[in-house]
Amino acid sequence: MSRGTTKDRLPDGQLRFGFMWLSSPTPTATSKAVADRNPDSLDPASQIDLARRVEDIGMDYVFFADGYITHGENSARIGHAQPHISAPIYAPVVMAATQHIGVVTTMHTRYLSPGVIARLGANLDALSGGRWGWNIVPGWKTPEAELLGAPTDTDHDLRYKITTEAVEAVKTLWASRGEHVEFHGEYHDLRGSLIGPHIEQQPWPCLFNAGVSAAGQQLIAETCDFAFTPLPDDYSKVRRTVESLAERTEAAGRDPLDVNMAGAVGVLLGKTDTEAQEKFSWVRDSLDMGAARDIATELMGGSETYQENYEGEFDDIARTLGLACGSKVLVGSPETVAGQLLDLHRETGVRGFMFLPVMYEAEQIELMGEVFPYLEKANVWTPPAERGWSW
């Protein structure tokens, strides 16, 4: 296991980049044709090769989304997020293959107790040498709660209230470094000493959340280092979210630069714009609408983030969500995509991007690496090695 380079916070205003991990045959497109061309998501050798490529091109972190149920029989049929590797289980494979890149795993406060999250997180942070991040998810899917025996009668704001307290309990356990802890909250009550290893990052590992609701933004403003949101075509919605989060962060007594709002964007590159557009047309034509409708039904039925961002006829929404989970898809040569990123940065105020690769072939990863020099030339990005591999 590579101990790695501890990632410190550096709120410098420069862009940061994340990479949605290949946790299933096709995590970002409801397409069996794409699944057949992607590397094998269950093969450790493929995961190791991908991890090294992603670190080498200059990404700041990889991001493991996670869940417990399928999106429906059509999604399962084509390999869209099914089978899905467990984030805390497979993250050490990426950690062992790399030295500097951050590794962010999703863990749900609705299904895992603060003690379990604190224990798993401390192990992942110690094994990576201080490179782990926690994507905090309250857990909003009723079928997941039913499967795991969790309460199903909690509304959105209550879930965030419970989650906020859970995060404080986890932080308390991390800060104790094995000393006796007493935490008595409204929803969590615990006492005792947590066995080591203990966290490497101080005061705690990097925290992520995807909330755009008032309750979600408040959690992020008070607690998190990164927020992320899908980037729909209406940039004004994103700009309002960015500005609202900055105001909340400042009101919480923090510098707005302490929270990096990252926009999730689909990315499909070619050596030329024409080649990229041809690939995009092929992927779009290969989308399975049954699977797209499954994911749209799920996301639009329970996520305020998606309800806030997407309107219109159901099939139009489904087609949008079937590709890059509804985020804007950047298509073109590395130079063209760099220009699109610069436009998004300037028009929305986001200071980072989470790439959702439409395809995970080695050529796509290499072309992503060719985007960064254009951003460096524009003075919005600094190579990770030059800033100490910081978050």
Side-chain angles (χ1 to χ4, degrees):
M1 176 68 68
S2 171
R3 291 285 296 165
T5 302
T6 299
K7 292 175 74 68
D8 296 320
R9 313 298 197 278
L10 183 62
D12 55 10
Q14 292 277 283
L15 297 182
R16 297 295 192 273
F17 286 88
F19 181 94
M20 181 65 71
W21 197 250
L22 181 68
S23 298
S24 65
T26 174
T28 58
T30 58
S31 167
K32 178 65 164 59
V34 170
D36 290 342
R37 288 182 58 162
N38 281 340
D40 185 351
S41 61
L42 292 178
D43 174 35
S46 295
Q47 297 272 314
I48 289 169
D49 178 70
L50 179 62
R52 289 173 176 161
R53 289 177 186 274
V54 170
E55 181 173 68
D56 287 346
I57 66 172
M59 289 288 179
D60 292 291
Y61 59 91
V62 300
F63 187 95
F64 281 79
D66 211 353
Y68 294 86
I69 58 173
T70 70
H71 295 304
E73 61 181 21
N74 290 307
S75 289
R77 171 176 51 78
I78 66 169
H80 180 242
Q82 164 69 9
H84 194 289
I85 57 179
S86 172
I89 298 299
Y90 236 132
V93 174
V94 175
M95 292 170 175
T98 57
Q99 292 184 316
H100 308 293
I101 200 165
V103 181
V104 182
T105 64
T106 297
M107 290 192 282
H108 301 71
T109 56
R110 192 178 189 180
Y111 315 136
L112 301 175
S113 70
V116 170
I117 293 172
R119 170 80 168 134
L120 288 172
N123 273 259
L124 291 167
D125 201 46
L127 286 173
S128 66
R131 296 185 285 140
W132 175 70
W134 173 23
N135 177 38
I136 303 164
V137 177
W140 54 268
K141 299 176 183 178
T142 297
E144 280 191 340
E146 291 173 343
L147 176 69
L148 300 174
T152 60
D153 57 351
T154 53
D155 65 21
H156 176 274
D157 286 357
L158 177 57
R159 289 197 298 271
Y160 264 97
K161 188 176 180 181
I162 294 170
T163 294
T164 298
E165 185 181 282
V167 173
E168 288 307 310
V170 171
K171 287 181 176 180
T172 300
L173 287 165
W174 282 337
S176 73
R177 304 193 71 81
E179 296 296 322
H180 182 80
V181 165
E182 297 273 347
F183 184 94
H184 306 294
E186 185 175 356
Y187 308 102
H188 303 90
D189 192 275
L190 53 94
R191 63 186 59 80
S193 303
L194 183 67
I195 193 171
H198 306 302
I199 58 171
E200 301 253 340
Q201 295 175 79
Q202 295 298 322
W204 42 73
C206 199
L207 303 180
F208 289 65
N209 182 259
V212 298
S213 66
Q217 286 189 42
Q218 196 61 34
L219 171 66
I220 294 165
E222 295 175 355
T223 298
C224 295
D225 305 284
F226 279 80
F228 59 94
T229 182
L231 288 184
D233 289 331
D234 187 349
Y235 294 171
S236 64
K237 288 184 177 180
V238 181
R239 169 65 74 173
R240 287 196 297 271
T241 299
V242 170
E243 292 174 349
S244 172
L245 182 59
E247 291 171 1
R248 288 177 181 273
T249 302
E250 194 165 24
R254 303 173 68 194
D255 187 324
L257 286 178
D258 287 343
V259 178
N260 188 319
M261 171 62 88
V265 289
V267 180
L268 187 58
L269 290 137
K271 295 176 182 177
T272 66
D273 289 345
T274 299
E275 180 183 283
Q277 288 293 340
E278 289 173 352
K279 290 179 181 179
F280 179 74
S281 295
W282 175 80
V283 172
R284 185 183 54 205
D285 292 344
S286 74
L287 292 181
D288 185 293
M289 282 303 297
R293 293 185 186 104
D294 284 348
I295 189 72
T297 298
E298 176 185 308
L299 293 177
M300 297 301 292
S303 170
E304 287 197 13
T305 298
Y306 282 90
Q307 293 169 3
E308 185 81 16
N309 281 325
Y310 301 98
E311 301 173 348
E313 295 295 326
F314 179 75
D315 264 16
D316 292 335
I317 294 173
R319 192 171 287 103
T320 298
L321 296 179
L323 190 55
C325 305
S327 289
K328 185 176 183 65
V329 181
L330 310 184
V331 181
S333 68
E335 183 176 11
T336 295
V337 168
Q340 293 171 334
L341 289 168
L342 288 170
D343 288 343
L344 279 165
H345 168 56
R346 291 162 181 158
E347 292 186 37
T348 67
V350 298
R351 291 184 288 107
F353 295 93
M354 188 184 302
F355 280 4
L356 313 181
V358 175
M359 301 168 68
Y360 285 79
E361 295 172 312
E363 181 189 46
Q364 284 293 304
I365 310 306
E366 292 168 4
L367 288 170
M368 286 179 197
E370 295 180 19
V371 171
F372 294 130
Y374 294 103
L375 302 178
E376 184 177 17
K377 186 176 180 180
N379 297 316
V380 299
W381 180 82
T382 302
E386 294 183 15
R387 49 181 165 78
W389 312 100
S390 57
W391 290 107

